[in-house]
């Protein structure tokens, strides 16, 4: 192998390493962009709790962020194994941060989903709790009779 070819290989490897890093960074940026906006999770136009929960459940969708994270991890792993990155600590940290954000959103979505199915049943239970309307009326009549006797 001639010296010129070896030099070309090093240059090509450097270019490939730079492109790999750019791919990781691009996938991470796309992943962050795919997450729901903070205002979408915080603000609501709903008239009742169930509407709030349904809106929140919709807002708590990581969208394509998981796919972008997967791409970032794939290119990052390739670059690490090829020893293509001089310093990859920042990429590794950002991958972890994005992974944690997606996990938090997913966990919150599951909790909201549980509440969404629980709240209507709780409302029904509370509506059915206590004496029936007929019992309320007979108690009111009995109280009125007691007052008349006094």
């Amino acid at each position: 192998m001639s010296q010129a070819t070896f030099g070309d290989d090093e240059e090509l490897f450097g270019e490939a390493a730079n492109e790999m890093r750019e791919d990781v960074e691009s996938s991470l940026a796309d992943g962050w962009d795919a997450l729901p906006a903070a205002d979408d999770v915080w603000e609501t136009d709903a008239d009742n709790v169930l509407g709030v929960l349904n809106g929140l459940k919709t807002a708590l969708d990581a969208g394509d962020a998981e796919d972008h994270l997967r791409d970032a991890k794939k290119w990052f792993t390739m670059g690490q194994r090829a020893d293509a990155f001089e310093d990859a600590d920042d990429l590794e940290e950002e991958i972890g941060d994005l992974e944690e954000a997606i996990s938090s959103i997913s966990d919150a979505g599951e909790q909201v989903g549980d509440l969404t199915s629980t709240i209507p049943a709780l409302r029904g239970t509370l509506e059915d709790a206590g004496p029936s309307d007929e019992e309320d009326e007979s108690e009111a009549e009995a109280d009125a009779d007691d007052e008349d006797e006094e």
Side-chain angles (χ1 to χ4, degrees), residues 14-70:
E15 285 179 32
N18 287 337
E19 288 175 11
M20 219 175 290
R21 184 175 186 82
E22 288 172 8
D23 285 344
V24 172
E25 290 171 347
S26 174
S27 292
L28 287 170
D30 291 344
W32 287 113
D33 289 343
L35 295 178
D39 286 346
D40 292 343
V41 173
W42 190 251
E43 296 176 1
T44 185
D45 293 330
D47 294 329
N48 58 46
V49 172
L50 189 56
V52 169
L53 291 172
N54 282 328
L56 183 57
K57 186 174 182 195
T58 300
L60 290 172
D61 179 13
D64 294 331
E66 291 176 342
D67 293 336
H68 295 299
L69 175 64
R70 181 174 172 74

Side-chain angles (χ1 to χ4, degrees), residues 104-125:
S104 294
I105 290 167
S106 178
D107 290 347
E110 288 176 20
Q111 292 173 0
V112 170
D114 291 345
L115 279 173
T116 302
S117 62
T118 302
I119 294 298
L122 177 60
R123 180 180 183 207
T125 299

